[in-house]
Amino acid sequence: MSGEPAALGAADGVRDMDRIDIKSLTLEELTGQVKAMGLPAYRAGQIYQWLHEKQAASFGEMSNLPLPLRTQLGGQYELAALKQADVRISAIDGTRKYLFALSDGNVIESVLMRYHYGNSVCISSQVGCRMGCRFCASTLDGLERNLRPSEMLDQIYRIGQDTGERVSHVVVMGSGEPLDNYDNLLRFIRILSGEKGLCVGQRNITVSTCGLVPQMLRLAEERLQITLALSLHAASDETRRRLMPVANRYPLREVLDACKVYFEKTGRRMTFEYSLVRGVNDSPDEAQALARLLKDQHGHVNLIPVNPIQERDYVQSGREAVEAFKNHLEKNGINVTIRREMGRDIQGACGQLRRSYIREKEDKDD
Ligand code: SAH
């Protein structure tokens, strides 16, 4: 039980100042750490089980470890544990929106949605976001910092514990651009879907991106079975640039080529998200152009009536326009679903609850 934890790479997701973030380590890495401490390898399995299956919030809870080891672990490692700052429960559909406080005082939000196929948790991947999409509340204050793998995992663990129900599906569609936090995202997926831990199957994990082409291509090579969702939102570069600054960096042609590569390498069909904004991207012409653009892609379109945010004057497309858009795509052989709005009464859209919390806090401090 002596010696320092084995040196780990400088991955910013694992080291917090001088203590290693133990919940961000894979089982192999934890085994390496445990061996370097002169302990038998089975201790790694026990610790990992406490962290990822029993989801202990402190080393003190790890009752099958000798007390001196618990103390030693507490001195050498950081154990990230989110604090529930708020929860709002939708009276309409039981959706639960959580606000969690991180150890540095930042707050993030996560959502639990109940579907017929199981419980799905939508997690944040960053505090804030730097992508600047015009209709999105998460990006209004820019990027604060990346979330560590442990902080992504703990959103799911805390929600599972709060409800006492199994989380079967995870979507990385909360605040932040997951592919802008690539290494931590990958580590998160590997731990979440690994054989010990929560064991959420990769096919039940969806990662949504605004279209960072180099990272999409890199992801295609990772041999994962996750679903990749692309936030498309327009069928022309001109309209896309109006809504999403990232479109200035990567034209549609390149983004869609990357989607094809993703399908070819992984066999996983894409999801194309399309938020309908009245008068901006919801015309029949736009639907026609979208059908043309996607005709040789493998995947389906998920239409989302834009969720208006206070800071912008975008307006949701009307029910009829949404239906017409859908019909137009279907007539052209494209698979389409309309996203059921969940938690409308509890500020369900990305970043809204966090912003209202920060605003209230600022008002109080003034
Ligand atoms: N950064 C990632 C994931 C986070 S956002 C991405 O861009 O995909 C998840 C989805 O919600 C994205 O498709 C995003 O464009 C969309 N979205 C964000 N704000 C929205 C709003 N106010 N109304 C409708 N969709 C929104």
Side-chain angles (χ1 to χ4, degrees):
M1 238 193 346
S2 60
E4 288 297 303
L8 273 169
D12 81 308
V14 173
R15 220 172 237 290
D16 171 46
M17 308 226 275
D18 54 354
R19 288 195 304 166
I20 291 174
D21 171 13
I22 196 165
K23 208 185 275 183
S24 290
L25 301 180
T26 61
L27 181 57
E28 294 71 42
E29 288 167 341
L30 186 61
T31 307
Q33 297 275 310
V34 158
K35 281 189 187 155
M37 287 161 81
L39 295 166
Y42 74 88
R43 289 282 183 220
Q46 289 178 319
I47 298 169
Y48 197 85
Q49 189 180 35
W50 276 110
L51 294 170
H52 300 285
E53 266 181 60
K54 301 184 194 163
Q55 301 161 1
S58 72
F59 293 107
E61 291 172 39
M62 304 184 178
S63 53
N64 58 357
L65 303 183
L67 201 54
L69 175 56
R70 285 183 246 166
T71 311
Q72 185 187 0
L73 291 174
Q76 290 182 342
Y77 295 95
E78 195 214 332
L79 205 176
L82 305 187
K83 297 247 157 20
Q84 191 173 312
D86 197 4
V87 60
R88 299 204 181 164
I89 304 168
S90 166
I92 304 171
D93 53 33
T95 296
R96 298 166 83 96
K97 182 139 199 176
Y98 290 84
L99 199 66
F100 289 116
L102 308 174
S103 57
D104 63 1
N106 275 304
V107 288
I108 52 168
E109 40 179 270
S110 329
V111 188
L112 169 84
M113 291 159 291
R114 294 197 162 94
Y115 293 103
H116 63 274
Y117 53 76
N119 285 346
S120 178
V121 167
C122 172
I123 66 150
S124 295
S125 56
Q126 296 180 313
V127 182
C129 182
R130 60 176 175 163
M131 296 299 132
C133 297
R134 303 273 181 246
F135 45 80
C136 179
S138 303
T139 199
L140 290 163
D141 297 321
L143 175 68
E144 180 69 32
R145 71 168 173 87
N146 282 331
L147 289 183
R148 294 188 263 138
S150 58
E151 293 167 327
M152 293 189 240
L153 290 164
D154 219 35
Q155 297 172 56
I156 303 161
Y157 296 172
R158 293 295 138 219
I159 291 177
Q161 291 204 326
D162 186 52
T163 57
E165 293 169 23
R166 182 177 154 71
V167 175
S168 57
H169 291 68
V170 171
V171 295
V172 189
M173 286 193 185
S175 295
E177 167 50 45
L179 298 191
D180 190 34
N181 186 13
Y182 190 92
D183 292 340
N184 288 347
L185 175 79
L186 262 282
R187 196 178 264 281
F188 158 77
I189 293 170
R190 296 222 154 94
I191 297 174
L192 181 66
S193 62
E195 61 183 303
K196 287 197 168 120
L198 210 55
C199 305
V200 175
Q202 290 184 357
R203 285 162 181 264
N204 291 348
I205 301 175
T206 299
V207 169
S208 178
T209 179
C210 62
L212 301 182
V213 171
Q215 288 93 323
M216 289 168 73
L217 296 173
R218 201 174 148 197
L219 192 66
E221 304 289 342
E222 303 278 1
R223 303 195 170 280
L224 295 175
Q225 281 294 293
I226 60 168
T227 300
L228 183 61
L230 172 72
S231 297
L232 192 52
H233 305 326
S236 70
D237 279 312
E238 196 192 341
T239 308
R240 198 158 186 267
R241 283 194 292 261
R242 271 175 75 189
L243 294 169
M244 307 172 72
V246 69
N248 291 303
R249 250 196 292 164
Y250 304 110
L252 273 175
R253 198 61 272 153
E254 283 180 30
V255 179
L256 290 170
D257 282 350
C259 293
K260 253 196 188 151
V261 171
Y262 191 82
F263 172 76
E264 280 158 14
K265 298 264 177 185
T266 63
R268 302 290 296 156
R269 299 167 72 80
M270 295 287 307
T271 298
F272 298 98
E273 295 164 277
Y274 198 103
S275 295
L276 288 156
V277 188
R278 186 180 296 185
V280 177
N281 65 0
D282 64 345
S283 69
D285 283 353
E286 197 85 13
Q288 190 67 41
L290 184 62
R292 260 200 312 273
L293 207 59
L294 297 183
K295 72 175 183 324
D296 54 356
Q297 289 280 343
H298 299 267
H300 76 279
V301 174
N302 196 208
L303 295 175
I304 316 160
V306 84
N307 227 316
I309 58 171
Q310 199 179 313
E311 292 80 0
R312 300 270 190 263
D313 49 11
Y314 288 124
V315 181
Q316 209 175 64
S317 303
R319 195 76 226 160
E320 275 171 29
V322 176
E323 285 295 335
F325 202 91
K326 174 174 182 264
N327 292 339
H328 214 101
L329 289 178
E330 277 176 343
K331 253 188 255 148
N332 286 278
I334 309 280
N335 283 321
V336 199
T337 48
I338 298 177
R339 166 117 28 115
R340 196 152 64 86
E341 274 185 274
M342 307 283 277
R344 229 202 122 82
D345 51 335
I346 52 163
Q347 297 181 297
C350 321
Q352 288 191 96
L353 180 58
R354 172 169 172 262
R355 276 189 71 76
S356 65
Y357 178 84
I358 293 171
R359 262 198 309 268
E360 274 169 33
K361 207 161 168 284
E362 281 168 356
D363 289 349
K364 260 188 236 150
D365 294 344
D366 281 347

